[in-house]
Amino acid sequence: MAVDAAVIGLGYVGLPLAQAATRAGLSVLGFDIDERVVASLNAGRSHVDDLSSADVADMRDRGFRATTDPAELREAGTLVISVPTPLSPDGGPDLSAVNAAVSTVAAQLRPGMLVILESTTYPGTTDEVVRPVLEAGGLTAGTDFHLAFSPERIDPGNPSFGATNTPKVVGGHTPGCTEAAASFYGKFVDTIVRTKGTREAEMAKLLENTYRHINIALVNEMARFCHDLDIDLWDVINAAKSKPFGFQAFYPGPGVGGHCIPIDPNYLSHNVRARLGYPFRFVELAQEINATMPSYIVRRAQDALNEDAKSLRGSTVLLLGVTYKPDIADERESPAVPLARQLISHGAAVQFHDPKVSEWRGLSEHATRVEDPAAAAAAADLTILVQNHREYDVDALAGGAQRFFDTRGVVTEGERIERL
């Protein structure tokens, strides 16, 4: 049976996209190689934060279905690839999932189809990596089928912006490809932003996240010397953001995490070095600053314990919140991981609490989960707020702790409280 669109990759990006298209009345097929994900979705159960099981059940009732059978993709008019692109060991993008998805699409490609890549990558990927594989069967992009790039802009946990009201950037291999992609997204996205081509659309995503990466690094470095100068950076930022133009507030923290900020700018830096032979110094410096924030937090933790005549070795340290952002269960690239590992390497006994995480992947054997954060904070030598979930009454937790280190600038100042 023909379907309007098939979404390849049903994670944090693909599933909200499929939901938006389904709600707009399109017939949508989901494709994923994970049989458990497919079975769960077909049973009406969600595996991502932004969609509840009720949302998935509603999608199913509207005709959405998931499959692991690539042959079913041939019935779709539009194929959207939204698979992960993590970093490879050399610092560039790992395109193995993209390559696998493109090969799957190529085997099912037919005249008249629209193929869109949404996975974040370096400029040139759509034209140099995707297009040759799709054209190897004899069809030509821009003539026999349409090809475009549209960067994903999903912000997990954002209550204000989702797939429908976040403007969609689209860039096609030809102007006709751009219009085909714009027409598709225009059925369920409020605003479409066209670029000159695929490279401009690919670069737009990297610019967005490089901008954030560099500005976060700026305030992280300021946090260090403001502490040494006895200046309250949080108060400084609050004052600066009162200016109605020319300033956007960014905030320091224990590091950066998630699927974008720690990864995407490195695609650009790696591509600049590989193609042009010189460094993208802003990105590389920002990466250095942000990557060393967990080490800085450990040094501050040592100083805080010294105030109580304690050493880090042998002390119990409680980490509150181990996801990469508040109010979601996503642990990808969370700075809590290197922070915990460094604390452990210094001899600390690490405990953690997170209302979103029952088992901390990769650290479950080294960090003990506590059920009652208030009781654990009262017993621990040091409590570190790493991520401020809405479930936390932070002032109460800080008030009952032996010593409390706030890396998010949310605790009311007081004795035995340290702030980044």
Side-chain angles (χ1 to χ4, degrees):
M1 183 177 69
V3 296
D4 294 318
V7 178
I8 302 170
L10 299 173
Y12 283 88
V13 175
L15 196 57
L17 174 71
Q19 181 197 35
T22 301
R23 283 183 170 177
L26 277 65
S27 57
V28 180
L29 176 71
F31 175 85
D32 203 286
I33 60 173
D34 191 326
E35 294 181 355
R36 293 171 300 176
V37 166
V38 168
S40 178
L41 291 173
N42 285 334
R45 296 190 302 270
S46 177
H47 62 286
V48 302
D49 289 299
D50 283 355
L51 274 72
S52 66
S53 291
D55 290 327
V56 173
D58 176 69
M59 291 171 62
R60 185 188 57 186
D61 293 343
R62 293 172 184 265
F64 172 80
R65 182 173 58 84
T67 184
T68 58
D69 182 3
E72 294 194 52
L73 299 176
R74 190 170 180 82
E75 304 305 317
T78 297
L79 299 175
V80 182
I81 299 172
S82 56
V83 296
T85 47
L87 286 179
S88 64
D90 68 353
D94 179 354
L95 295 181
S96 56
V98 169
N99 289 332
V102 172
S103 295
T104 298
V105 169
Q108 308 302 327
L109 189 65
R110 57 179 173 78
M113 274 186 172
L114 165 63
V115 180
I116 304 172
L117 177 64
E118 283 207 357
S119 304
T120 305
T121 184
Y122 61 86
T125 301
T126 305
D127 189 53
E128 298 168 8
V129 176
V130 177
R131 184 170 63 86
V133 176
L134 297 181
E135 291 185 335
L139 299 180
T140 301
T143 302
D144 301 309
F145 68 95
H146 294 299
L147 176 63
F149 181 82
S150 180
E152 61 89 1
R153 283 173 151 181
I154 295 295
D155 183 18
N158 191 319
S160 301
F161 291 98
T164 298
N165 65 346
T166 300
K168 204 77 175 80
V169 172
V170 296
H173 176 62
T174 65
C177 293
T178 299
E179 291 309 313
S183 176
F184 166 69
Y185 286 117
K187 293 179 173 67
F188 56 92
V189 179
D190 296 340
T191 304
I192 307 298
V193 180
R194 296 165 174 81
T195 62
K196 289 184 176 180
T198 56
R199 282 175 168 79
E200 286 77 11
E202 290 162 337
M203 183 65 84
K205 175 62 184 294
L206 298 185
L207 175 59
E208 293 170 14
N209 286 330
T210 299
Y211 169 81
R212 293 173 62 197
H213 186 54
I214 289 172
N215 279 282
I216 291 169
L218 171 64
V219 294
N220 276 337
E221 187 164 36
M222 290 188 73
R224 302 186 189 200
F225 65 71
C226 280
H227 172 71
D228 293 337
L229 295 172
D230 195 25
I231 295 171
D232 186 339
L233 178 60
W234 304 96
D235 192 50
V236 170
I237 295 172
N238 190 55
K241 73 179 183 181
S242 66
K243 186 178 182 180
F245 55 90
F247 181 83
Q248 180 180 354
F250 288 83
Y251 299 92
V256 293
H259 61 296
C260 290
I261 302 303
I263 296 175
D264 296 358
N266 289 301
Y267 296 162
L268 189 53
S269 177
H270 182 272
N271 195 237
V272 169
R273 276 190 176 273
R275 294 192 173 214
L276 303 179
Y278 53 80
F280 190 172
R281 289 182 291 174
F282 266 120
V283 167
E284 295 183 5
L285 178 58
Q287 177 64 20
E288 177 186 338
I289 293 169
N290 288 333
T292 58
M293 285 305 292
S295 298
Y296 175 70
I297 298 299
V298 170
R299 291 198 299 273
R300 289 284 303 274
Q302 290 175 311
D303 293 342
L305 287 167
N306 286 342
E307 292 294 318
D308 296 331
K310 298 177 180 179
S311 67
L312 184 55
R313 181 171 298 277
S315 289
T316 297
V317 180
L318 171 65
L319 304 182
L320 296 177
V322 298
T323 58
Y324 87 88
K325 67 183 298 188
D327 306 322
I328 65 169
D330 196 342
E331 302 171 44
R332 288 176 295 174
E333 306 296 327
S334 171
V337 173
L339 173 58
R341 286 176 176 163
Q342 291 188 43
L343 289 168
I344 292 166
S345 72
H346 281 75
V350 174
Q351 299 177 340
F352 80 95
H353 177 271
D354 193 304
K356 307 293 183 182
V357 177
S358 58
E359 183 178 354
W360 196 0
R361 292 194 296 271
L363 283 171
S364 57
E365 296 180 0
H366 307 287
T368 304
R369 189 183 193 280
V370 300
E371 296 297 329
D372 184 344
D381 297 291
L382 174 66
T383 298
I384 303 177
L385 179 67
V386 183
Q387 195 56 260
N388 182 29
H389 294 295
R390 67 166 62 95
E391 288 90 342
Y392 289 145
D393 183 342
V394 180
D395 282 336
L397 289 168
Q402 293 188 39
R403 186 167 289 275
F404 195 92
F405 185 6
D406 172 20
T407 71
R408 296 297 177 176
V410 294
V411 178
T412 303
E413 291 185 86
E415 293 183 4
R416 309 184 71 75
I417 294 176
E418 304 286 334
R419 296 215 299 173
L420 180 62

